[in-house]
Amino acid sequence: MQYKSQAVAKPYFIAAIGLFIGQILFGLIMGLQYVVGDFMFPAIPFNAARMVHTNLLIVWLLFGFMGAAYYLVPEESETELFSPKLAITMFWIFLVAGALTIVGYLAVPYATLAKITMNSLFPTMGREFLEQPTITKLGIVVVALAFLFNIGMTVLKGRKTAISLVLLLGLLGLAVFFLFSFYNPDNLVKDKYFWWWVVHLWVEGVWELILGAILAFVLIKITGVDREVVEKWLYVIITMTLITGIIGTGHHYYWIGTPGYWQVWGSIFSALEPIPFFMLTIFAFNMVNKRRREHPNKAATLWALGTGVMAFLGAGVWGFLHTLAPVNYYTHGTQLTAAHGHMAFYGAYVMVVLTIISYAMPVLRGRAANCEKAQVVEMWSFWLMTVSIVFITLFLTGAGILQTWLQRMGDHPMSFMDAQNAIAIFYWMREGSGLVFLIGLATYVTSFFIKGETKAI
Ligand code: HEM
Ligand code: HEM
Ligand SMILES: [Fe+2]
């Protein structure tokens, strides 16, 4: 470790992995509820499990992004973090607030949670991904502000690099767009319109900047390729991201009551969104091929390359599948959406967080890379998790195509529930792949505890 304040990244990474395990357990519970409807009812109803699964995902990715920033910004800025103490305080606040919220989801019915947290004073609850009580949302804003202040001051007092500036811009955007979660108009069209300013402009906008910056940082470290080359790629990628992604929001405005021109604008611009994801893949492979050194951390290299490929497949290819208005007319809100959601979130954001953890954690533990054996186990976990998400995606895609056909096309469309019954076999297979995913995750965690000979830095 070059700067001792980088150590604050460690608890963030550990919390991220802990919450990741929780996320997957709740995914498995829901996956089973899909086929065994009253599994664990009434203790854990589907709607509660769904909030826990998706909210844990977002929260652990945020822990991962913050850990990544605390690790890489001091190194990029060539100075100690502005305030390690503030970083640790915020860690505990975020963890406790997050845990209490999850307990709230599980302990009481959602309506009761809204009442206890006095949602009626300032109503923001009840929308997918933004289910958190208003008080939790305020807590998130406080943590985000303190975090941005800490990172911003560090960048200001040190060397300014393209990587740290792009990262900072992405994190700033993340915080700014989250503010739209406080805007909750009664008009459902307006509500949905601005809801996407959080959800879409995050994953297909500002988060892509964070993704690009983290990947660029790890690639410089493991390949030793010139910073100038990496920076050029980064600039082109983020420019393409913003050009396509901002107006691309229109692919969510087809059927919510917004003007019809969105079907044209949304289709054209979102159809171009795969381009920056494709460039990310080319970028990662190009850098590794041109490498000037053989970094001992093979596992981190694998994660970095995997991120490029899987982000392109999940976001680019599976996004394109249903992004054109004439296609989306039939597929909107089907299992095809869930197929894409899983592979895109995994391929882009889960994998980039696991990439930086894979690179940084050994350094935080005082070695250049983990021992050979630990890396082999980690690479096994890479393949187990990645292949099972591919299968989850394929099974949900099969379910989605059949669902669209049975329920929305043909002369005698089935009801929603009849169509769901007809495709239950796909949900069983999804659950099977989910179990393999859990085994992969357990393998990943195991890799941290394997001891062997390592080179000190
Ligand atoms: C890493 C980037 C991405 C992530 C994490 C992601 C994730 C998601 C998620 C979770 C949903 C479901 C939202 C809901 O609950 O309604 C969704 C919807 C959608 N995504 Fe993406 N996405 C990404 C990139 C893309 C790209 C690049 C495209 C287009 C090429 C795309 C096209 C769509 C479309 C059209 C929908 C709406 C589906 C519907 O009508 O039901 N996504 N995405
Ligand atoms: C890292 C891995 C995973 C990620 C990133 C992830 C992400 C997501 C996201 C973004 C959604 C919301 C989708 C939407 O609204 O379209 C979701 C829902 C869901 N996930 Fe996952 N998930 C993962 C693993 C799993 C696993 C292993 C299972 C179970 C086998 C699972 C089962 C489910 C179920 C059943 C839903 C609810 C779908 C619905 O409402 O119909 N997930 N997940
Ligand atoms: Fe989108």
Side-chain angles (χ1 to χ4, degrees):
M1 197 157 61
Q2 290 181 17
Y3 297 91
K4 65 176 190 302
S5 55
Q6 287 177 293
V8 301
K10 202 170 169 184
Y12 281 85
F13 290 151
I14 294 172
I17 295 169
L19 299 174
F20 184 18
I21 297 170
Q23 182 222 329
I24 297 308
L25 292 177
F26 280 87
L28 285 167
I29 293 176
M30 263 195 299
L32 200 51
Q33 289 174 336
Y34 246 80
V35 276
V36 183
D38 55 3
F39 176 69
M40 294 191 88
F41 189 82
I44 304 180
F46 181 86
N47 70 307
R50 196 183 197 284
M51 290 191 288
V52 175
H53 181 64
T54 55
N55 285 234
L56 278 178
L57 168 69
I58 306 295
V59 169
W60 85 256
L61 291 179
L62 293 181
F63 268 109
F65 292 166
M66 290 196 260
Y70 286 133
Y71 182 85
L72 73 78
V73 167
E75 212 163 296
E76 285 291 298
S77 308
E78 294 181 335
T79 171
E80 293 287 353
L81 187 66
F82 178 73
S83 168
K85 235 193 220 138
L86 183 63
I88 293 296
T89 313
M90 286 304 135
F91 169 79
W92 286 109
I93 294 180
F94 197 36
L95 191 64
V96 171
L100 282 179
T101 305
I102 300 295
V103 169
Y105 289 160
L106 292 170
V108 295
Y110 191 63
T112 314
L113 184 64
K115 211 182 230 159
I116 302 173
T117 58
M118 295 186 285
N119 184 56
S120 56
L121 283 183
F122 185 177
T124 66
M125 291 174 74
R127 294 168 298 165
E128 193 198 354
F129 298 121
L130 307 180
E131 295 96 345
Q132 311 82 31
T134 306
I135 174 96
T136 305
K137 290 198 182 83
L138 289 169
I140 294 174
V141 171
V142 170
V143 171
L145 283 177
F147 163 72
L148 280 173
F149 171 73
N150 211 352
I151 292 295
M153 293 302 282
T154 312
V155 171
L156 276 180
K157 78 181 164 100
R159 178 177 71 146
K160 285 137 198 89
T161 67
I163 291 179
S164 58
L165 292 176
V166 170
L167 181 71
L168 194 58
L169 190 65
L171 294 166
L172 192 70
L174 185 156
V176 168
F177 287 116
F178 183 69
L179 295 179
F180 285 93
S181 73
F182 291 95
Y183 180 57
N184 187 15
D186 291 332
N187 180 320
L188 204 56
V189 178
K190 282 191 190 160
D191 176 10
K192 287 265 100 179
Y193 188 90
F194 288 105
W195 180 81
W196 286 111
W197 285 36
V198 187
V199 178
H200 170 102
L201 290 178
W202 264 11
V203 299
E204 291 154 74
V206 290
W207 283 30
E208 266 181 83
L209 309 197
I210 300 171
L211 167 69
I214 297 177
L215 205 59
F217 174 80
V218 175
L219 285 171
I220 287 186
K221 297 289 158 180
I222 56 183
T223 65
V225 169
D226 273 348
R227 187 172 277 277
E228 291 73 48
V229 181
V230 172
E231 288 178 348
K232 269 187 203 129
W233 275 96
L234 187 58
Y235 280 131
V236 180
I237 290 172
I238 68 159
T239 307
M240 282 310 292
T241 295
L242 297 175
I243 290 176
T244 60
I246 295 175
I247 302 180
T249 320
H251 65 179
H252 302 295
Y253 294 163
Y254 300 154
W255 334 112
I256 64 168
T258 38
Y261 56 73
W262 279 115
Q263 291 175 21
V264 179
W265 289 100
S267 295
I268 294 173
F269 278 83
S270 71
L272 301 174
E273 281 182 38
I275 296 172
F277 283 101
F278 186 61
M279 291 170 64
L280 208 71
T281 318
I282 305 291
F283 168 50
F285 277 90
N286 224 327
M287 295 306 105
V288 172
N289 283 337
K290 286 198 188 136
R291 68 185 174 276
R292 295 234 201 106
R293 65 167 86 112
E294 291 300 328
H295 196 280
N297 195 339
K298 299 278 175 281
T301 315
L302 181 63
W303 281 111
L305 292 175
T307 307
V309 175
M310 294 301 292
F312 172 64
L313 283 179
V317 178
W318 255 262
F320 183 79
L321 273 182
H322 59 164
T323 207
L324 300 174
V327 177
N328 192 266
Y329 178 76
Y330 291 100
T331 61
H332 180 56
T334 61
Q335 294 299 328
L336 213 62
T337 309
H340 155 67
H342 278 85
M343 189 139 76
F345 256 113
Y346 176 80
Y349 301 116
V350 169
M351 287 185 88
V352 78
V353 169
L354 297 185
T355 302
I356 182 82
I357 293 181
S358 182
Y359 171 74
M361 209 52 174
V363 183
L364 290 166
R365 297 168 86 193
R367 45 185 106 128
N370 287 329
C371 69
E372 197 91 7
K373 212 163 131 211
Q375 286 198 46
V376 170
V377 174
E378 188 183 341
M379 290 195 266
W380 263 98
S381 81
F382 169 96
W383 288 109
L384 282 169
M385 288 194 274
T386 305
V387 170
S388 45
I389 214 78
V390 167
F391 275 98
I392 289 179
T393 306
L394 290 175
F395 293 141
L396 289 178
T397 304
I401 292 172
L402 275 175
Q403 179 190 9
T404 305
W405 178 256
L406 294 174
Q407 193 189 319
R408 296 181 175 175
M409 300 171 107
D411 293 335
H412 303 285
M414 280 185 185
S415 74
F416 176 83
M417 286 313 284
D418 285 342
Q420 291 299 312
N421 262 335
I423 56 178
I425 179 79
F426 285 95
Y427 299 132
W428 279 112
M429 295 193 290
R430 180 259 302 268
E431 188 69 355
S433 314
L435 276 173
V436 179
F437 192 98
L438 183 68
I439 296 171
L441 182 53
T443 310
Y444 178 72
V445 173
T446 311
S447 75
F448 285 83
F449 297 97
I450 294 177
K451 294 194 176 67
E453 226 174 283
T454 54
K455 257 200 348 233
I457 342 171

